[in-house]
Amino acid sequence: MSRPVVTAAERRRVVEAVPTGLFVGGSWGPSSSGDTIDVVDPATGEVLVAVADATPADGLRALDAAVAAQDAWAATSPRHRSEVLRRAFDLLMQRRDDFALLMTLEMGKPLDESLGEVTYGGEFLRWFSEEAVRVSGRYGTNPEGTGRTTVLHRPVGPCLLITPWNFPLAMATRKIAPALAAGCTVVVKPAELTPLTTLAFAALLAEAGVPDGVVNVVTTLSANDVCEPLIRDPRLRKLSFTGSTPVGSTLLTQASEQVLRTSMELGGNAPFVVFDDADLDAAVEGAMQAKFRNVGQACTAANRFIVHESVADEFTARVVERVRGLRVGAGTDDGVSVGPLIDDRAVDKAHRLVRDAVGRGAVVETGGHPVDGPGTFFEPTVVSGVAPGSEILTTEIFGPVLAISTFHDEAEGVRLANDTEFGLVAYAFTRDLARGQRLAERLQTGMLGLNVGVVSNASAPFGGVKSSGLGREGGAEGIHEYLETVYVLTPDPFAGS
Ligand code: ADP
């Protein structure tokens, strides 16, 4: 039996420390309606605490605050902004255990993974504290020699940042850190299922020296009613969204009215291609990470395992053995590597996709069912022989289900990998360098894990092609999502001299 590694008193302390109001203009306060949102622990189904449920008027107040703070924040020195972000990084590292526990309680992932997310999420603060002082422009002579060209960058202005529930800290820092580094103010709308981490993080930012109004947080059950007026408000200059493709597409429609700048991190349907020359130890290890990290609830999760027919049996047998060894339970319990799914809908979806695949000829190698009892758990599952046309191949599973189909040559492997509307990340395992390079050029993807099962890193440009989105987060590219490019032409200074 697994046992809890945190006491009830510790849980209470961490939850009770979270401010539960809206954070607007540096002050915490209730929603103008007085309504609240219950935040539920998915491992138990119990309510942890209630937070404010913002109204559209509250959302506009938050935008007012961001607009009021914009000029002064943009006028601070890059070094100052850098040091504020660095202080936030240091504070987060000091409180890593509390943030990890809070995330596990509201989102479900095992504590070790939450600690991993604190490291990953924290890296965006450190990375962009370093990038804040490295924004440069350029100066040159135009081809005709008649003038001088100056290119400079300046903050885009107030931003709306909408984040999902699956990485409550990292998705917030990945947007807030570059925005602040660039000199932008923000309104953050965290996911209604996991608002606590963002609220705690906003309090930390204030402590790190972020001035009033620079970061505002509105939690709400009425995402569309609160966000749409902001997206249509000309004072808002940028929307950054991470979430599902249908919602992203709706937001793009809203944003088109004022030709708002957008960054969109949308859905994925990652292929995980194992070639006949792959190092199978590495492929199995990569598969476990790419599939079961975050209980499969990541847009980067491997969705379709496309395995060369000559190694499919061995790969399947080895993966099944590993999956049978995974322990399911509350993320706060000792030794657990698979926590609950976020809610009942997620469990139903995983179950439906498995049943559909089986109905079309697939074989359940292990797992396949929801787990009884409180909480929203699904058994870690492997299905093999998944036939073309199965819904699991076209739908983002977002659960611990590893679906295997086979291919017989590289051309077919590439064709199957690209056979999706999405293009966020792909994984491929091969020992052939030239093949790896061909894949990098031919797979329709924004990111490729070549012989690795996790690609996310604050120093790298994260983002997709096709229906997976627009723009890049992280890396040198990440700060430019929050900067305008301005070109200035001046006459040849030597003319007439
Ligand atoms: P998921 O299916 O993973 O929950 P969603 O795309 O539904 O992803 O949600 C991602 C984020 O987008 C959440 O913060 C959610 O509240 C928000 N959201 C959902 N619908 C809208 C909308 N119409 N306008 C603005 N935000 C929305």
Side-chain angles (χ1 to χ4, degrees):
M1 271 305 285
S2 45
R3 6 172 229 98
V5 287
V6 285
T7 63
E10 259 177 285
R11 291 164 191 248
R12 256 198 318 278
R13 176 183 63 76
V14 163
V15 171
E16 281 170 8
V18 180
T20 54
L22 306 173
F23 187 52
V24 176
S27 305
W28 295 92
S31 146
S32 54
S33 66
D35 290 346
T36 57
I37 308 169
D38 284 343
V39 183
V40 172
D41 177 349
T44 61
E46 285 164 15
V47 174
L48 292 165
V49 69
V51 302
D53 180 9
T55 63
D58 296 322
L60 278 170
R61 246 182 351 106
L63 179 60
D64 292 344
V67 169
Q70 176 59 56
D71 286 351
W73 183 242
T76 58
S77 70
R79 177 63 71 203
H80 176 78
R81 298 196 294 274
S82 168
E83 283 172 354
V84 168
L85 287 171
R86 178 67 203 210
R87 272 199 299 280
F89 170 76
D90 291 339
L91 284 173
L92 183 64
M93 291 304 110
Q94 282 164 26
R95 297 176 198 166
R96 60 189 316 144
D97 290 338
D98 286 0
F99 270 89
L101 177 54
L102 191 60
M103 245 190 296
T104 291
L105 290 175
E106 68 173 342
M107 186 273 164
K109 70 183 76 183
L111 267 180
D112 278 354
E113 286 195 34
S114 291
L115 279 168
E117 185 175 339
V118 176
T119 302
Y120 172 52
E123 280 306 325
F124 288 102
L125 298 169
R126 180 154 65 170
W127 175 262
F128 285 109
S129 87
E130 292 158 351
E131 289 296 283
V133 292
R134 310 250 183 275
V135 175
S136 55
R138 62 178 198 264
Y139 180 82
T141 304
N142 67 359
E144 301 76 20
T146 56
R148 297 295 179 270
T149 299
T150 307
V151 177
L152 58 97
H153 299 289
R154 60 187 191 209
V156 65
C159 307
L160 173 60
L161 313 178
I162 303 178
T163 58
W165 50 263
N166 57 345
F167 292 98
L169 180 69
M171 297 303 98
T173 57
R174 193 159 84 174
K175 297 183 191 305
I176 295 171
L180 265 49
C184 298
T185 60
V186 302
V187 175
V188 187
K189 208 298 285 169
E192 55 277 24
L193 294 168
T194 58
L196 302 181
T197 304
T198 309
L199 293 169
F201 182 62
L204 179 150
L205 286 174
E207 214 180 314
V210 173
D212 294 351
V214 170
V215 172
N216 307 277
V217 182
V218 286
T219 48
T220 182
L221 285 175
S222 315
N224 190 70
D225 294 349
V226 169
C227 294
E228 187 172 357
L230 269 54
I231 293 169
R232 295 188 190 276
D233 189 315
R235 295 173 301 162
L236 189 77
R237 299 307 319 136
K238 163 91 192 182
L239 165 65
S240 178
F241 170 77
T242 297
S244 61
T245 297
V247 173
S249 171
T250 301
L251 296 177
L252 280 170
T253 304
Q254 296 172 4
S256 72
E257 182 175 291
Q258 57 150 330
V259 196
L260 187 64
R261 276 200 50 189
T262 57
S263 300
M264 293 276 148
E265 297 290 353
L266 308 179
N269 181 359
F272 187 108
V273 191
V274 182
F275 287 89
D276 49 353
D277 63 355
D279 172 345
L280 278 193
D281 290 340
V284 169
E285 192 55 45
M288 297 304 290
Q289 291 179 330
K291 183 72 251 181
F292 294 101
R293 191 172 73 108
N294 228 38
V295 203
Q297 300 173 116
C299 49
T300 52
N303 216 57
R304 295 168 295 144
F305 287 78
I306 303 168
V307 184
H308 191 269
E309 56 200 12
S310 69
V311 293
D313 286 350
E314 188 182 351
F315 176 81
T316 304
R318 289 170 68 171
V319 157
V320 167
E321 192 190 328
R322 288 283 299 271
V323 172
R324 288 201 174 120
L326 294 174
R327 182 182 282 181
V328 180
T332 46
D333 284 2
D334 201 13
V336 162
S337 44
V338 176
L341 291 178
I342 191 69
D343 58 16
D344 286 329
R345 275 194 320 153
V347 173
D348 292 346
K349 179 179 178 188
H351 200 196
R352 186 189 81 230
L353 293 174
V354 169
R355 282 189 312 232
D356 173 78
V358 169
R360 294 166 195 268
V363 173
V364 175
E365 303 279 352
T366 185
H369 301 98
V371 178
D372 286 342
T376 43
F377 295 91
F378 195 82
E379 293 171 347
T381 299
V382 179
V383 286
S384 64
V386 174
S390 302
E391 203 188 336
I392 206 165
L393 299 177
T394 52
T395 306
E396 201 173 12
I397 304 167
F398 249 58
V401 180
L402 194 157
I404 301 174
S405 46
T406 58
F407 70 99
H408 65 266
D409 62 19
E410 184 179 317
E412 189 191 21
V414 169
R415 185 180 59 73
L416 291 174
N418 286 339
D419 186 18
T420 168
E421 76 197 87
F422 297 104
L424 186 62
V425 61
Y427 304 93
F429 284 73
T430 176
R431 285 193 171 101
D432 180 339
L433 174 62
R435 173 183 279 151
Q437 290 172 311
R438 287 195 295 277
L439 296 173
E441 294 188 24
R442 292 176 62 200
L443 291 179
Q444 296 163 359
T445 182
M447 303 178 284
L448 172 62
L450 198 51
N451 299 319
V452 295
V454 179
V455 296
S456 303
N457 191 290
S459 68
F462 184 105
V465 300
K466 296 159 80 179
S467 297
S468 288
L470 302 167
R472 294 294 180 268
E473 294 190 303
E477 291 81 354
I479 198 165
H480 282 278
E481 299 282 319
Y482 297 91
L483 291 168
E484 298 283 15
T485 298
V486 179
Y487 147 65
V488 182
L489 180 66
T490 48
D492 175 9
F494 294 102
S497 69

